[in-house]
């Protein structure tokens, strides 16, 4: 099967491309660096020619409210048009668990616009909402750091290894479209303050984690439902502690 991965040079994209190629599929790793730009439409028609599945794991290079909205609206619109022309039979897109609950954030408003654009297209689709990746816990800590103190809330999370996300995406891409939303999460729920505390301890980082109910997650006030999946998500097999021990 010919499969196009939009954002094929990123963290998820590289792993997904590798997994699909190992299964014998013809995979195009599409990104601006390879001459394929979903935002401008450059190279899309050529990349999608003969493709049966498109998996969009691209992310905006800027998180400024208008920039990220323009990115997802333009890329989704251009992909839909190119997919119709190419006869694509399944569009898979990576989104985020909690997107519809975090609309005080311009980023999540843009992700919801992306999801709505996909639903409005005539192409059969599967929207895959994943929880936060293990690999980004360091960035969470950094964004919450003031001097030697890291202030984070105790809101519940259920993070997942990026490679487990890629494995699930590969399986979903080769299956029938859900024409709806599928959620992915890690095998264990953990509070954000404890997640960051474990991470810093493993990295021998001496910053002190302070549990602050009023602390925000990239500007967003959280509760225990904000970043956790609903009923019956697909669960990745890798535990956070095991990943920390390896990395």
């Amino acid at each position: 099967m010919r499969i196009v991965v939009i954002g094929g040079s990123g963290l998820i994209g590289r792993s997904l491309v590798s997994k699909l190629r190992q299964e014998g599929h013809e995979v195009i790793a599409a990104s601006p660096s390879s001459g394929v730009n979903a935002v401008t439409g450059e190279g899309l028609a050529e990349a999608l020619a003969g493709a049966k599945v498109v998996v969009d794991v691209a992310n905006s290079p800027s998180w400024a409210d208008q920039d990220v909205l323009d990115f997802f609206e333009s890329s989704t619109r251009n992909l839909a048009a190119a997919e119709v022309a190419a006869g694509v039979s399944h569009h898979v897109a990576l989104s985020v668990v909690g997107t519809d609950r975090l609309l005080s954030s311009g980023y999540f408003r843009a992700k919801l616009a992306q999801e709505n654009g996909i639903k409005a297209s005539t192409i059969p689709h599967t929207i895959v909402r994943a929880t936060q990746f293990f690999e980004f816990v360091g960035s969470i800590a950094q964004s919450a750091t003031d001097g030697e103190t890291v202030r984070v809330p105790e809101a519940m999370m259920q993070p997942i290894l990026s490679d487990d996300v890629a494995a699930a995406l590969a399986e979903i891409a080769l299956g029938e479209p859900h024409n709806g939303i599928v959620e992915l999460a890690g095998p264990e729920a953990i509070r954000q303050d404890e997640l960051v505390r474990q991470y810093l301890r493993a990295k021998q980082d001496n910053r002190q984690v302070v549990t602050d109910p009023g602390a925000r997650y990239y500007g967003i006030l959280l509760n225990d439902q904000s970043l956790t999946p609903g009923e019956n998500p697909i669960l990745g097999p890798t535990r956070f502690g095991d990943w920390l021990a390896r990395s």
Side-chain angles (χ1 to χ4, degrees), residues 187-206:
E188 300 172 307
I190 183 173
R191 296 199 175 277
Q192 188 174 126
D193 55 345
E194 184 57 24
L195 180 77
V196 172
R197 195 172 284 117
Q198 288 185 19
Y199 177 86
L200 295 180
R201 187 183 305 128
K203 299 297 181 182
Q204 299 182 331
D205 188 319
N206 292 326

Side-chain angles (χ1 to χ4, degrees), residues 4-14 16 29-33 36-39 44 54-63 68 71-76 79 91-96 107 110-111 114 118 128 133 136 169:
V4 178
V5 177
I6 304 296
S9 62
L11 175 66
I12 299 294
R14 290 193 305 271
L16 176 59
S31 66
S33 62
V36 183
N37 190 322
V39 175
L44 274 183
V54 172
V55 186
D56 183 7
V57 296
N59 206 355
S60 173
S62 167
W63 281 27
V68 72
F71 178 93
F72 284 119
E73 286 188 334
S74 297
S75 61
T76 301
L79 280 170
H91 177 95
V92 181
L94 181 61
S95 191
V96 186
Y107 181 83
K111 289 299 290 183
Q114 178 192 24
I118 292 165
V128 181
F133 305 154
F136 291 164
L169 283 170

Side-chain angles (χ1 to χ4, degrees), residues 180-226:
I181 294 170
V182 174
E183 291 189 320
L184 304 180
E188 300 172 307
I190 183 173
R191 296 199 175 277
Q192 188 174 126
D193 55 345
E194 184 57 24
L195 180 77
V196 172
R197 195 172 284 117
Q198 288 185 19
Y199 177 86
L200 295 180
R201 187 183 305 128
K203 299 297 181 182
Q204 299 182 331
D205 188 319
N206 292 326
R207 282 177 289 174
Q208 297 300 306
V209 176
V210 174
T211 303
D212 180 353
R216 294 175 180 260
Y217 172 81
Y218 297 108
I220 309 165
L221 195 61
L222 301 178
N223 59 39
D224 284 349
Q225 289 72 48
S226 299

Side-chain angles (χ1 to χ4, degrees), residues 14 34 44 53 67-68 85 91 117 122 150 155 158 173-174 180 197 226 237:
R14 290 193 305 271
S34 68
L44 274 183
V53 178
D67 291 346
V68 72
H91 177 95
T122 59
V150 184
Q158 199 164 332
L174 299 175
R197 195 172 284 117
S226 299

